[in-house]
């Protein structure tokens, strides 16, 4: 049975007979640099299946009542409407404020970035059909939540994100994984700092480098509504908004995915922060690796409880308001899992700890599937989806 202790590196240390611990950050002997140095800085390859399906079945068997937690959360639409209104108000108030002023950037960082990160994660919730029972209502509401982000995003996010769930860690399918190019050029302190500063651009552009999703009417509507909204702020409502209003919204989105406390969740969710022994690193041994981490701190208040990430991956159909209850019901399953104590420290450690970097991710060659089916044995360059499957 695993036991846990809080360590100085901000993560929960899990002591188990699987060769995995947080040892490198707590005074334990780290692997020496030798002929295996290249392997030490490679991705963590595994032949095991992703852990969430197995744990989900075990939790359902032990606690069948958790299935009652599934379903749409009515509160989501009101939170989204309030945050959209707040961002439009800020865009109005900053219409005459110089872009390069301290006030403009301070408001964008403190209020704007926090609000747009909230909207990023609202769209994440909505992509799982958790705002309304109707799939169509969720697609349209995601476009509404997209408005303060400044650029069309919601329609494309959904298929890539659902594939991330169904193909966690699968090379060529999970676009949350860094590419080989990123691993080569960004695996240094300066490279990781660059990645953390511009990570929103990597998450936006990387999926298209892995495979393309077909455009549907939802994508076109997302583009049309977003461009019309931006144009209206600039040209149709000059007494209330200006070019600076749109720049405020776009800057808020950039800062939300940059060196911002809430942006720590992007890295905290699936990067491996524990020391992996040589035995566990060898995929032939089929030792499960910790590939999803949860965070239970105060920033979940602003981010739809996305920190409860093991819980979310185990049960994507449970909305944000009920994830804490899932954790409470199935506590014996979640207490032994590694966690992060601080998203800010996650960013700091990612940049400055040479044992953590772009390749600190679990990868698998097989398993999972692209949403909509298709052959997952080969890397998909054009996803094999129908329009109906994407819009469902």
């Amino acid at each position: 049975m695993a036991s846990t202790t809080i360590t100085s590196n901000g993560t929960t240390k899990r002591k188990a007979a699987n060769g995995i611990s947080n040892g490198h950050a707590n005074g334990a002997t780290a692997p020496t640099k030798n002929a295996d140095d290249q392997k030490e800085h490679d991705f963590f390859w595994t032949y095991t299946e992703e852990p969430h399906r197995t744990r989900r079945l075990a939790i359902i068997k032990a606690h069948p009542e958790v299935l009652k937690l599934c379903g749409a959360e009515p509160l989501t639409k009101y939170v989204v409407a309030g945050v959209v209104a707040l961002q439009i108000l800020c865009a109005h108030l900053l219409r005459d404020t110089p872009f390069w002023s301290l006030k403009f950037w301070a408001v964008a960082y403190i209020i704007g970035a926090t609000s747009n990160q909230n909207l990023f994660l609202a769209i994440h919730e909505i992509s799982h059909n958790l705002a309304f029972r109707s799939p169509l209502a969720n697609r349209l509401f995601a476009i509404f939540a997209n408005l303060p982000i400044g650029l069309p995003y919601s329609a494309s996010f959904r298929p890539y994100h659902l594939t991330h769930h169904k193909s966690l860690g699968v090379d060529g399918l999970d676009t949350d994984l860094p590419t080989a190019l990123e691993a080569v050029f960004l695996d240094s302190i300066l490279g990781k700092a660059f990645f953390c500063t511009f990570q929103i651009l990597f998450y936006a552009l990387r999926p298209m480098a892995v495979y393309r999703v077909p455009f549907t009417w939802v994508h076109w509507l997302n583009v049309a509504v977003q461009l019309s909204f931006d144009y209206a702020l600039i040209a149709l409502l000059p007494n209330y908004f200006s070019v600076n209003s749109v720049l405020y919204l776009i800057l808020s989105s950039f800062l939300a995915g940059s060196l911002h406390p809430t942006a720590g969740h992007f890295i905290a969710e699936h990067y491996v922060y524990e020391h992996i022994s040589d035995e566990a690193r060898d995929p032939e041994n089929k030792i499960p690796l910790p590939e999803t981490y949860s965070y239970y701190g105060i920033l979940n208040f602003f981010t739809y409880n996305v920190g409860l990430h093991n819980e979310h991956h185990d049960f994507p159909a449970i909305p944000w308001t009920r994830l804490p209850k899932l954790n409470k019901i199935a506590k014996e399953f979640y207490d032994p899992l590694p966690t992060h104590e601080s998203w800010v420290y996650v960013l700091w450690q990612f940049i400055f700890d040479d044992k953590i970097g772009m390749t600190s991710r679990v990868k698998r060659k097989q398993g999972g599937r692209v949403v909509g089916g298709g052959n997952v044995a080969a890397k998909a360059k054009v996803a094999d989806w129908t329009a109906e499957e994407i819009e469902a």
Side-chain angles (χ1 to χ4, degrees):
M1 182 67 180
S3 63
T4 61
T5 58
I6 303 300
T7 68
S8 60
N9 70 344
T11 61
T12 296
K13 181 177 180 181
R14 178 176 56 177
K15 296 179 180 178
N18 62 356
I20 301 170
S21 74
N22 281 0
H24 77 265
N26 296 278
T29 302
T32 59
K33 290 189 175 182
N34 49 33
D36 293 331
D37 185 61
Q38 179 64 35
K39 185 176 75 171
E40 181 71 17
H41 292 278
D42 192 9
F43 289 97
F44 299 104
W45 291 94
T46 182
Y47 295 142
T48 64
E49 72 167 350
E50 60 92 6
H52 299 289
R53 178 180 178 275
T54 303
R55 187 162 55 240
R56 176 167 59 251
L57 294 175
I59 290 174
I60 291 173
K61 183 177 180 180
H63 304 285
E65 67 272 21
V66 299
L67 294 177
K68 297 179 181 179
L69 301 176
C70 297
E73 170 53 70
L75 179 61
T76 300
K77 58 181 175 288
Y78 300 111
V79 176
V80 169
V83 176
V84 169
L86 173 62
Q87 279 295 77
I88 292 175
L89 174 62
C90 289
H92 163 69
L93 295 175
L94 292 175
R95 67 191 183 282
D96 297 323
T97 304
F99 178 79
W100 292 112
S101 66
L102 176 61
K103 176 183 176 181
F104 195 98
W105 281 71
V107 174
Y109 187 85
I110 298 171
I111 298 177
T114 305
S115 297
N116 276 14
Q117 184 68 251
N118 178 273
L119 292 173
F120 288 158
L121 294 167
I123 291 171
H124 167 261
E125 279 285 303
I126 298 165
S127 72
H128 290 286
N129 291 336
L130 294 177
F132 298 92
R133 292 184 179 180
S134 162
L136 177 59
N138 282 285
R139 298 297 83 72
L140 298 178
F141 192 63
I143 294 174
F144 170 74
N146 196 146
L147 293 178
I149 292 173
L151 298 170
Y153 147 83
S154 64
S156 294
F157 171 78
R158 182 175 184 269
Y160 284 119
H161 179 68
L162 296 185
T163 297
H164 162 69
H165 271 268
K166 294 181 181 295
S167 305
L168 181 65
V170 178
D171 191 33
L173 293 181
D174 185 357
T175 58
D176 191 61
L177 292 167
T179 63
L181 199 64
E182 293 170 62
V184 170
F185 288 101
L186 300 177
D187 206 21
S188 65
I189 290 179
L190 288 178
K192 291 186 290 182
F194 180 86
F195 174 77
C196 288
T197 303
F198 297 97
Q199 61 179 313
I200 192 67
L201 301 182
F202 285 92
Y203 283 106
L205 300 176
R206 181 194 295 148
M208 294 182 288
V210 179
Y211 58 81
R212 299 190 311 274
V213 298
F215 251 56
T216 69
W217 69 269
V218 179
H219 293 81
W220 289 116
L221 182 62
N222 187 193
V223 171
V225 170
Q226 188 63 55
L227 294 181
S228 298
F229 175 77
D230 294 346
Y231 177 76
L233 295 187
I234 296 171
L236 302 183
L237 299 168
N239 294 329
Y240 300 97
F241 301 97
S242 68
V243 173
N244 274 9
S245 299
V246 175
L247 289 178
Y248 163 75
L249 297 177
I250 295 175
L251 178 62
S252 297
S253 296
F254 170 75
L255 294 175
S258 185
L259 295 173
H260 189 274
T262 60
H265 83 86
F266 290 119
I267 292 172
E269 290 165 0
H270 296 295
Y271 280 80
V272 178
Y273 269 62
E274 297 192 336
H275 168 62
I276 306 299
S277 69
D278 290 340
E279 180 186 13
R281 182 181 285 275
D282 186 351
E284 295 292 344
N285 292 326
K286 297 185 178 181
I287 297 175
L289 302 174
E291 54 190 297
T292 304
Y293 292 67
S294 287
Y295 158 81
Y296 300 105
I298 189 62
L299 293 180
N300 280 309
F301 177 81
F302 302 100
T303 57
Y304 287 90
N305 280 329
V306 74
L308 281 71
H309 215 64
N310 270 300
E311 292 85 343
H312 169 65
H313 268 266
D314 289 352
F315 292 89
I318 294 180
W320 60 284
T321 53
R322 301 170 205 157
L323 289 176
K325 188 170 184 179
L326 167 64
N327 175 277
K328 184 176 181 180
I329 292 173
K331 203 168 184 60
E332 73 274 20
F333 289 91
Y334 293 116
D335 278 355
L337 302 180
T339 64
H340 288 292
E341 301 300 312
S342 166
W343 281 342
V344 174
Y345 191 65
V346 163
L347 292 172
W348 177 271
Q349 191 178 4
F350 179 80
I351 294 172
F352 293 105
D353 190 333
D354 63 357
K355 297 296 190 296
I356 301 170
M358 302 302 297
T359 59
S360 299
R361 290 293 301 265
V362 176
K363 275 192 174 186
R364 42 181 60 85
K365 280 289 185 183
Q366 297 178 345
R369 71 179 183 93
V370 175
V371 172
N375 180 12
V376 300
K379 292 185 179 181
K381 293 303 178 186
V382 179
D384 185 19
W385 303 340
T386 66
E388 291 75 15
E389 287 171 324
I390 294 175
E391 294 161 12

